[in-house]
């Protein structure tokens, strides 16, 4: 790392701006669980007459592809070629997800449709007080989906298909929501293959499934997740916990998402780096993991450093935090504009 953090950040922003403007056609292999995000918005002016819960008067409902499908759309918007390996049920939700992917330019030939299975839907209810509050708050999240465990043969087939697409890929992303698409054996097979080919592997794991991510280039945590692991390990602080985890699981780095507290990069090459949040306002946070995963793949797959990749992920997370609604995707144009703004802020601060 540089002895001049400000200079390093300026130089990194210049590289990232050039990357986003010119990245085109790089192939990424993506495997993971997919779901539909459904958002109900309205006014919560009253309490229920029989229980102390708000009554939501729904004024609009919106839907978007979530989890790994969100990553696939983000990568495609960057101009990258995504080989996307996932599964959905043969229901209306699965049809909606496939349509959303197609409309966003994501290929669906490697999406397995499972007969008789329901597709996971995450339903979020947002409300505010009519004429009093502009900003909504989430009132409730409800999950609707399959009750049965995914047949392991589906995961095996998806893993085999992902292996076949990695021969000319620039990066591997594994997005694990513990819904059955990513098995430990499958994840380890793909990570080993990525390491053998010399391409970066980015894993967004469940805290209970860290063995799946062993050997990955970089993993993604939320700050509260790393703090929880730190307490379980009786570590003195998150930095010590991060170093112990990198040693135990053979990761090169950990990207920690702190929301309004910014992004933290723990890596083997030196001291941990904190990238403060530069977003003017924090409106919401849904989609940060997906934006971070797509950004890490774009940067690392183009041969940039962990620092550059973390800074791009930080910028993408700031775009998510500043989004007016949870349904918005981080696209190439939005991210390029924000990188330009960050570069301008750095120039102003030097005056």
């Amino acid at each position: 790392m540089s002895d001049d953090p400000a200079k390093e950040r300026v130089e990194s922003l210049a590289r990232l701006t050039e990357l986003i403007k010119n990245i085109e056609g790089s192939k990424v292999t993506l495997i993971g669980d997919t779901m539909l995000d459904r958002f109900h918005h309205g006014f919560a002016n009253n309490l229920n007459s029989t229980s102390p819960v708000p009554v939501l008067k729904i004024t609009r409902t919106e839907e978007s592809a979530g989890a790994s499908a969100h990553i696939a759309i983000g990568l495609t918007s960057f101009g990258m070629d995504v080989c996307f390996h996932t599964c959905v049920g043969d229901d209306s939700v699965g049809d909606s997800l496939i349509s959303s992917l197609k409309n966003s330019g994501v290929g669906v030939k490697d999406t397995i449709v499972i007969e008789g299975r329901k597709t996971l839907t995450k339903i979020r209810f947002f409300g505010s007080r009519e004429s009093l509050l502009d900003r909504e708050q989430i009132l409730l999240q409800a999950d609707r989906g399959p009750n049965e465990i995914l047949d392991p043969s589906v995961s095996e087939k998806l893993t085999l298909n992902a292996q076949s697409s990695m021969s000319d890929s620039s990066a591997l992303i594994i997005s694990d929501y513990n819904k059955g698409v990513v098995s430990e054996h499958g994840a380890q097979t793909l990570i080993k293959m990525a390491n053998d080919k010399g391409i970066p592997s980015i894993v967004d794991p469940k805290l209970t499934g860290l063995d799946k991510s062993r050997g990955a280039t970089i993993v993604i945590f939320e700050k509260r997740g790393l703090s929880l692991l730190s307490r379980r390990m009786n570590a003195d602080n998150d930095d010590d916990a991060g170093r112990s985890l990198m040693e135990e699981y053979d990761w090169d780095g950990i990207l920690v998402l702190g929301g309004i507290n910014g992004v933290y990069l723990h890596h083997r090459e030196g001291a941990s780096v904190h990238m403060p949040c530069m977003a003017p306002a924090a409106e919401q946070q849904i989609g940060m993991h997906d934006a971070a995963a797509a950004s890490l793949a774009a940067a690392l797959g183009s041969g940039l450093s962990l620092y550059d990749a973390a800074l791009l992920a930080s910028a993408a997370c700031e775009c998510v935090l500043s989004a007016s609604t949870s349904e918005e995707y981080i696209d190439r144009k939005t991210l390029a504009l924000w990188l330009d703004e960050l570069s301008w802020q750095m120039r102003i601060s030097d005056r």
Side-chain angles (χ1 to χ4, degrees), residues 26-32 72 75-76 80-86 106-111 158 161-169 171-173:
S26 296
K27 182 178 171 184
V28 175
T29 294
L30 167 63
I31 183 170
L75 288 167
T76 301
M80 306 184 79
D81 178 18
V82 186
C83 285
F84 182 30
H85 305 273
T86 192
V106 180
V108 296
K109 66 181 182 64
D110 293 308
T111 297
L158 289 168
N161 291 345
Q163 285 180 271
S164 66
S165 74
M166 283 181 60
S167 59
D168 56 348
S169 287
L172 165 70
I173 301 178

Side-chain angles (χ1 to χ4, degrees), residues 247-293:
E247 183 69 25
E248 179 178 356
Y249 291 100
D250 194 26
W251 302 325
D252 290 338
I254 305 172
L255 188 77
V256 182
L257 309 182
I260 60 173
N261 295 311
V263 163
Y264 302 79
L265 173 63
H266 301 275
H267 60 113
R268 295 191 179 193
E269 300 304 320
S272 299
V273 180
H274 176 222
M275 300 173 180
C277 179
M278 304 296 287
E283 299 292 336
Q284 61 92 43
Q285 64 178 14
I286 297 171
M288 281 202 308
H289 282 247
D290 306 330

Side-chain angles (χ1 to χ4, degrees), residues 198-216:
I199 64 173
S201 52
I202 298 96
V203 183
D204 186 2
K206 284 284 190 180
L207 292 183
T208 54
L210 295 183
D211 283 329
K212 295 180 184 179
S213 65
R214 193 177 298 275

Side-chain angles (χ1 to χ4, degrees), residues 91-280:
D91 53 1
S92 60
V93 174
D95 292 341
S96 178
L97 277 169
I98 289 176
S99 294
S100 179
L101 290 167
K102 287 181 177 178
N103 292 337
S104 299
V106 180
V108 296
K109 66 181 182 64
D110 293 308
T111 297
I112 297 176
V113 179
I114 303 175
E115 183 177 355
R117 185 175 177 84
K118 293 182 179 179
T119 308
L120 177 61
T121 307
K122 284 192 174 291
I123 308 166
R124 298 177 177 92
F125 298 85
F126 292 85
S128 65
R129 287 290 298 275
E130 190 171 9
S131 301
L132 291 177
L133 296 174
D134 289 331
R135 187 170 179 177
E136 296 180 319
Q137 292 182 326
I138 187 167
L139 303 177
L140 175 70
Q141 176 177 311
D143 292 354
R144 176 185 293 161
N147 295 317
E148 68 280 1
I149 297 173
L150 184 67
D151 191 322
S153 65
V154 176
S155 175
E156 292 172 8
K157 184 175 181 179
L158 289 168
T159 300
L160 285 172
N161 291 345
Q163 285 180 271
S164 66
S165 74
M166 283 181 60
S167 59
D168 56 348
S169 287
S170 64
L172 165 70
I173 301 178
I174 299 175
S175 176
D176 181 27
Y177 281 74
N178 200 31
K179 302 301 179 183
V181 166
V182 181
S183 67
E184 183 175 338
H185 178 265
Q188 286 297 284
T189 298
L190 292 171
I191 291 171
K192 183 180 185 303
M193 188 173 183
N195 290 338
D196 290 343
K197 290 183 174 295
I199 64 173
S201 52
I202 298 96
V203 183
D204 186 2
K206 284 284 190 180
L207 292 183
T208 54
L210 295 183
D211 283 329
K212 295 180 184 179
S213 65
R214 193 177 298 275
T217 304
I218 189 166
V219 296
I220 302 170
F221 289 162
E222 286 187 12
K223 193 173 189 308
R224 61 182 179 180
L226 181 59
S227 296
L228 175 61
L229 290 175
S230 179
R231 291 194 295 273
R232 288 177 178 174
M233 298 163 61
N234 291 321
D236 291 336
N237 51 56
D238 288 357
D239 283 352
D240 288 348
R243 293 199 174 280
S244 295
L245 287 166
M246 285 188 287
E247 183 69 25
E248 179 178 356
Y249 291 100
D250 194 26
W251 302 325
D252 290 338
I254 305 172
L255 188 77
V256 182
L257 309 182
I260 60 173
N261 295 311
V263 163
Y264 302 79
L265 173 63
H266 301 275
H267 60 113
R268 295 191 179 193
E269 300 304 320
S272 299
V273 180
H274 176 222
M275 300 173 180
C277 179
M278 304 296 287

Side-chain angles (χ1 to χ4, degrees), residues 30-49:
L30 167 63
I31 183 170
D33 302 295
T34 292
M35 62 189 69
L36 182 74
D37 286 328
R38 180 172 292 150
F39 306 90
H40 296 297
H41 302 266
F43 299 117
N45 299 325
N46 305 302
L47 293 177
N48 184 279
S49 60

Side-chain angles (χ1 to χ4, degrees), residues 303-326:
L304 297 184
S305 67
L306 278 176
Y307 177 86
D308 288 340
L311 186 57
L312 185 63
S314 175
C317 287
E318 288 162 2
C319 290
V320 170
L321 289 168
S322 302
S324 58
T325 67
S326 307

